[in-house]
Amino acid sequence: MDITQIPFVKHTGIEKDDVHTLKLEAADVLKNHLGTLHASALFTLAETQSGLSLQEHFPELEGKVAGVLRDATVKYRNPATSSIYAVANIKEEVKERFLSQYARKGRSSIVVDVVLKTYDDMVCMQGEFTWFVQKISSIS
């Protein structure tokens, strides 16, 4: 699934920057009353990047599971006045714990860390996105 084709993601203008990274151009329609990118636009980019990261780390689960965002904690660091990109990371021990629980129960949660930066490497936002993932056949 091309995550950039989800209707809301497409509406915001999120695009792939490279194979593993998403970007958001600083369009006027995404700006707040201060002229910086709106917090909800940053959140959408980070949440979408966390989902892309799950697809990339666990391609064997595609089409077999449903994932939903269960929780998110974000910290806005600096106002974004220009285009930004997202970088996601899943710690190795987190991946191992996720796969172990998923193998036992058919469901598991996983935390994806995301950082949003401007192209001159200023951090705009950091966040932890917790996903709940469950086998499709287990969903009632």
Side-chain angles (χ1 to χ4, degrees), residues 52-71:
L52 177 62
S53 183
L54 289 176
Q55 286 181 336
E56 293 174 342
H57 281 92
F58 307 104
E60 70 279 9
L61 297 180
E62 189 166 347
K64 299 176 184 175
V65 299
V68 293
L69 186 66
R70 173 144 303 159
D71 185 52

Side-chain angles (χ1 to χ4, degrees), residues 67-114:
V68 293
L69 186 66
R70 173 144 303 159
D71 185 52
T73 304
V74 299
K75 175 85 174 180
Y76 297 93
R77 299 278 180 195
N78 292 291
T81 57
S82 60
S83 299
I84 57 175
Y85 69 98
V87 177
N89 181 49
I90 303 174
K91 296 176 180 122
E92 197 57 41
E93 62 271 12
V94 171
K95 287 195 292 191
E96 291 170 10
R97 189 170 49 246
F98 168 78
L99 287 172
S100 175
Q101 183 174 7
Y102 179 78
R104 285 191 325 273
K105 297 184 175 186
R107 63 186 186 279
S108 188
S109 292
I110 187 166
V111 176
V112 181
D113 299 313
V114 179

Side-chain angles (χ1 to χ4, degrees), residues 12 24-38 41 80-83:
T12 61
L24 186 61
E25 300 294 332
D28 286 342
V29 70
L30 299 176
K31 293 184 179 174
N32 61 22
H33 63 291
L34 299 173
T36 63
L37 286 173
H38 198 284
T81 57
S82 60
S83 299

